[in-house]
Amino acid sequence: MKQFKSKRLWSLLLALSLMLVACSGGGTTTTEEEKATTEAAQTEAAVTEAATEEEKTEEAATPAGGDRVQIQFWYAWTDTIAEANEEMAKMFNESQDKYEVIAEHQGSYKDVQSKLQAAMAANNAPGVAVIEPQNIQMLQKAGMIADISAGGIDQESFFPRLLENSIVDGKLYGIPYMRSSPILMINATMLEEAGLDPTGPKTWEDVIEIGKKFQEQSKPALTMSVVNQWYFESYLNQSGASIFNEDETDVNFNNEAGKKVLEYWRELQSNGYCNFLTGTDAGNLSKADFAAGATPMLVSTIADISYFLGVAEENGFELATAAMPIPEGGTQAVPTGGANLVVVANKSEEETQAAIDFLKFASQPENVAYVVEKTGYAPTTKAAVETEALQKLFAEKAQYEVSLSQLDFIQKRPNTEKSPEVLTAVTDMLTEFVIDPNADIDTLLSTYAEKCQQIINN
């Protein structure tokens, strides 16, 4: 097993540790992207824990019975997502007799990243891990993920917008895997009983009209977690702006588009049309509200389609899904989230090849289709869309079709190593906005734009 080139990598890991701590400040959604859990003390403890586990991992990388090279595959989340990851590893192991992938749940995306950092410091890292797309460049700069450009992966098979964050300086550092986008979950039964279109709203104005109707029942029409900038980014994209400017040297939300979004949110909040939730458990609380019928609509993610189909069946209502409503004069546009699969750096030649072969396996059309069926995540390759399994799924379960249709207007994700810290600052802005209904919108936008610019410049 290769050893670290210690001085440079230790300094990079220390810098990354500080960045992870900084990124934990505002929290993230428990669907997309997750509760903030990283503290400096946790990172130090994780390094110590990883060191004590080094011997176990070295055994895992040793051919079992002299036949197979074993590697660990670290993934995030539970329920159907965990089941899909475990099954993917099982199918790969059954497909050949040279390698064995051991799937291990590590918590949230941030947990995976924090533990990966600690494991690398202890020379005890997995072979494959899930990583949020916007963090690829940061990890590449830290030397934590491997260049797999020469691994024979067919880059042309992926939808281009989903592949963008995997490419740094013209080289490939991962593949799109479980990728998501924001959508509306709709309790079609509640809308129909209220005399409304059960397919849900198409515009921002439609949401207001639904809000007025449900005020008669003292219920908000919509629930949304804002402990992650992801949903704000979607509204911003629809209004013609984005978190970063094109070359990622500045932000692009301190403008009329950003003001338009927050003014709209203020109208929803002040009239009781939308319940905006903050705090580290906001994602779970918003899902619980929707499941219990406390609100007919939820701003959510395609990754929750499978989950809410089960909830709807258990609770006796019809579930519908819809693209995010757009403003008057706006266009359909959504950010993408979820995770990419990466090959961890500084592994042996055999382990690296095992990891690359696993990525190739996961990107085969029938295996991409399996993930979509199991979870609701977007198909990542063109060939997967043409499989019999997905053609049947989209025809029989209309709720899943949105995962495909939104690929037509996916927007570019931030790709700079500064993005995690900037996105956390934006989340702080949104939290302040929700907590203080009297906060001046212009002041908030300008103050946080300046903070973000300082992050970018430093």
Side-chain angles (χ1 to χ4, degrees):
M1 188 176 292
K2 295 181 182 178
Q3 301 297 313
F4 281 169
K5 299 176 179 71
S6 58
K7 287 189 178 179
R8 178 175 179 274
L9 187 51
W10 270 104
S11 64
L12 286 168
L13 287 171
L14 178 59
L16 182 56
S17 172
L18 294 173
M19 186 173 292
L20 281 169
V21 174
C23 289
S24 70
T28 50
T29 66
T30 56
T31 56
E32 250 346 84
E33 311 197 86
E34 75 256 12
K35 301 176 187 177
T37 58
T38 310
E39 301 286 347
Q42 289 178 315
T43 302
E44 182 180 354
V47 172
T48 303
E49 179 185 356
T52 63
E53 291 293 318
E54 181 174 356
E55 184 176 342
K56 292 181 182 179
T57 300
E58 288 178 350
E59 290 175 0
T62 302
D67 296 326
R68 293 188 181 223
V69 172
Q70 294 183 345
I71 60 169
Q72 294 170 313
F73 162 37
W74 285 5
Y75 66 86
W77 308 127
T78 56
D79 298 323
T80 56
I81 296 173
E83 292 169 11
N85 282 307
E86 294 283 347
E87 184 64 19
M88 187 65 69
K90 180 182 176 183
M91 291 189 297
F92 173 72
N93 294 338
E94 293 174 348
S95 73
Q96 45 74 50
D97 59 8
K98 190 173 181 180
Y99 307 116
E100 182 176 5
V101 169
I102 302 170
E104 294 185 358
H105 174 254
Q106 298 296 332
S108 66
Y109 288 140
K110 276 193 171 65
D111 292 333
V112 172
Q113 191 165 314
S114 178
K115 291 178 181 181
L116 178 60
Q117 173 196 352
M120 291 203 69
N123 202 18
N124 184 31
V128 178
V130 295
I131 293 295
E132 291 176 287
Q134 66 269 22
N135 293 341
I136 294 291
Q137 185 172 115
M138 179 177 66
L139 297 185
Q140 183 268 340
K141 298 295 185 186
M144 293 176 63
I145 55 178
D147 173 8
I148 55 174
S149 304
I153 293 173
D154 181 11
Q155 298 183 41
E156 295 297 321
S157 67
F158 297 99
F159 287 102
R161 277 293 169 91
L162 296 182
L163 187 68
E164 283 180 327
N165 289 87
S166 291
I167 298 174
V168 182
D169 298 330
K171 297 179 180 179
L172 186 67
Y173 286 91
I175 64 167
Y177 182 47
M178 292 183 170
R179 296 295 293 273
S180 58
S181 57
I183 61 169
L184 276 188
M185 296 289 179
I186 299 167
N187 186 323
T189 303
M190 287 181 69
L191 291 187
E192 193 167 25
E193 289 175 348
L196 299 167
D197 183 352
T199 63
K202 305 297 186 295
T203 67
W204 290 7
E205 292 74 19
D206 291 343
V207 174
I208 291 174
E209 293 306 310
I210 296 173
K212 292 176 181 177
K213 187 71 174 180
F214 275 88
Q215 275 299 290
E216 299 171 6
Q217 303 179 29
S218 299
K219 290 182 178 180
L222 183 67
T223 294
M224 187 193 317
S225 163
V226 296
V227 296
N228 178 286
Q229 87 302 324
W230 202 50
Y231 300 141
F232 173 69
E233 192 172 350
S234 180
Y235 282 87
L236 200 60
N237 290 162
Q238 295 170 348
S239 304
S242 54
I243 300 294
F244 287 89
N245 64 1
E246 184 63 29
D247 59 5
E248 299 184 341
T249 58
D250 199 351
V251 292
N252 187 34
F253 60 79
N254 183 23
N255 47 35
E256 286 303 311
K259 185 175 181 179
K260 180 178 180 180
V261 174
L262 292 187
E263 286 179 340
Y264 175 63
W265 283 15
R266 181 63 54 77
E267 180 178 5
L268 294 179
Q269 182 185 38
S270 61
N271 288 292
Y273 302 152
C274 180
N275 183 23
F276 291 95
L277 296 175
T278 63
T280 56
D281 206 31
N284 283 331
L285 291 173
S286 64
K287 290 168 69 173
D289 278 355
F290 179 72
T295 179
M297 299 186 296
L298 171 71
V299 178
S300 188
T301 162
I302 60 175
D304 276 337
I305 293 175
S306 178
Y307 169 75
F308 277 119
L309 280 171
V311 168
E313 184 176 357
E314 290 175 6
N315 290 278
F317 67 86
E318 182 181 351
L319 178 74
T321 61
M324 295 288 286
I326 63 173
E328 183 177 355
T331 57
Q332 285 288 4
V334 291
T336 178
N340 287 2
L341 281 180
V342 300
V343 174
V344 179
N346 297 314
K347 307 300 289 183
S348 71
E349 184 177 342
E350 293 81 5
E351 292 170 287
T352 298
Q353 190 58 56
I356 291 174
D357 282 4
F358 180 64
L359 265 62
K360 289 180 180 178
F361 181 82
S363 61
Q364 291 177 6
E366 63 273 17
N367 295 330
V368 173
Y370 165 74
V371 169
V372 177
E373 284 186 280
K374 187 70 176 177
T375 64
Y377 277 113
T380 57
T381 69
K382 306 161 192 174
V385 176
E386 302 304 321
T387 60
E388 182 180 350
L390 287 194
Q391 290 294 309
K392 182 180 179 181
L393 179 71
F394 295 143
E396 294 181 354
K397 294 186 176 180
Q399 295 92 341
Y400 284 92
E401 198 277 333
V402 69
S403 69
L404 174 62
S405 63
Q406 292 208 144
L407 289 172
D408 292 335
F409 40 87
I410 288 287
Q411 300 300 295
K412 178 184 176 183
R413 278 303 264 161
N415 206 37
T416 170
E417 65 268 31
K418 302 288 188 177
S419 64
E421 199 173 353
V422 168
L423 297 181
T424 297
V426 174
T427 299
D428 292 341
M429 176 184 74
L430 300 177
T431 300
E432 186 175 338
F433 168 82
V434 171
I435 290 175
D436 182 4
N438 297 313
D440 182 73
I441 290 174
D442 288 324
T443 301
L444 275 177
L445 290 171
S446 61
T447 298
Y448 279 92
E450 184 177 345
K451 288 183 179 180
C452 291
Q453 187 63 62
Q454 290 173 354
I455 293 169
I456 294 170
N457 292 344
N458 292 331

